[in-house]
Amino acid sequence: MDPSLLRERELFKKRALSTPAVEKRPAPSSDSSSSKKKKAKVEQGGSSSSKQSADHSNGSFNLKVLSGGSGYKFGVLAKIVNYMKTRHQRGDTHPLTLEEILDETQHLDIGLKQKQWLMSEALVNNPKIEVVDGKYAFKPKYNLKDKKALLRLLDKHDQRGLGGILLEDIEEGLPNAQKAIKALGDQIIFVNRPDKKKILFYNDKSCQFTVDE
């Protein structure tokens, strides 16, 4: 081989050895980036779930539990008051013990705390319930026994200039109200309000007279 070519080959080798080589790394694929995102989401989800479990153990869900319990308690109270009203309207006006009320409303399975709440707070403070010798009875706005009591009440309202009385208030306090109202006939007058509620007035026949035109 030509000596000049040998020298050029040796110089090429030296230059190649003295030049640093740079290694190119492959660009990250979309799969690896998506896996990282998924991992981050999982970590976030795990942290949130652990936070929720921690909040639960710390009692942050107690409010929801309490609201559900309160809703149940007041539902029982509403059913009791409605039942006491219904039995009063059909003529069963004698008071009942709490156990009798719970039995007739099918709530004997309620807890001791709820019973205590009914006795010490809910029933005694309810405007529609009165306590009679440790028992409970319905307390209507107007406690009427019969049609004569209704007529006296309407007459008294008329004399005092108080006007009429709502039909629903009379039905609430007078057992078998519709029967009594029908029996009074033209001694009372019905007037319909714009909101479609009916009002009863005493029909004072002494005020009925003819006026000359």
Side-chain angles (χ1 to χ4, degrees), residues 29 37 58 114 116 130 161 166 170 182 190:
S29 63
K37 290 181 180 178
N58 289 333
Q114 291 171 334
Q116 187 65 31
E130 63 179 343
L166 281 171
I170 293 172
K182 187 177 180 180
F190 281 97

Side-chain angles (χ1 to χ4, degrees), residues 105-116:
T105 56
Q106 298 180 356
H107 279 108
L108 284 173
D109 58 339
I110 68 171
L112 185 60
K113 288 184 179 180
Q114 291 171 334
K115 287 183 182 180
Q116 187 65 31

Side-chain angles (χ1 to χ4, degrees), residues 15 19 24 36 48 60 67 81 114 131 138 147 152 154 166 188 192:
R15 285 198 299 269
T19 303
K24 291 184 179 181
K36 287 182 180 179
S48 62
S60 63
S67 63
V81 174
Q114 291 171 334
V131 183
F138 184 70
K147 62 181 182 180
R152 285 195 299 270
L154 292 172
L166 281 171
I188 56 177
N192 292 323

Side-chain angles (χ1 to χ4, degrees), residues 76-96:
V76 171
L77 175 61
K79 188 174 181 179
I80 288 174
V81 174
N82 187 58
Y83 170 74
M84 297 298 285
K85 175 183 175 180
T86 302
R87 66 183 295 273
H88 183 93
Q89 289 173 332
R90 66 172 182 249
D92 297 333
T93 57
H94 62 278
L96 298 175

Side-chain angles (χ1 to χ4, degrees), residues 171-186:
E171 290 177 333
E172 179 186 79
L174 177 61
N176 304 309
Q178 289 299 326
K179 184 178 180 180
I181 291 170
K182 187 177 180 180
L184 289 174
D186 63 352

Side-chain angles (χ1 to χ4, degrees), residues 1-95:
M1 183 179 289
D2 191 356
S4 62
L5 293 177
L6 289 173
R7 283 197 301 269
E8 287 179 3
R9 188 177 69 173
E10 292 296 328
L11 290 172
F12 177 77
K13 286 184 179 180
K14 289 180 180 180
R15 285 198 299 269
L17 290 173
S18 63
T19 303
V22 178
E23 182 181 359
K24 291 184 179 181
R25 294 185 179 179
S29 63
S30 59
D31 292 338
S32 61
S33 61
S34 62
S35 64
K36 287 182 180 179
K37 290 181 180 178
K38 288 180 181 179
K39 185 177 180 181
K41 288 183 179 180
V42 169
E43 287 176 357
Q44 290 178 359
S47 61
S48 62
S49 62
S50 61
K51 184 179 178 182
Q52 287 179 359
S53 61
D55 289 344
H56 182 73
S57 62
N58 289 333
S60 63
F61 286 99
N62 287 345
L63 183 60
K64 293 182 179 180
V65 174
L66 271 175
S67 63
S70 299
Y72 174 73
K73 286 197 304 184
F74 285 103
V76 171
L77 175 61
K79 188 174 181 179
I80 288 174
V81 174
N82 187 58
Y83 170 74
M84 297 298 285
K85 175 183 175 180
T86 302
R87 66 183 295 273
H88 183 93
Q89 289 173 332
R90 66 172 182 249
D92 297 333
T93 57
H94 62 278

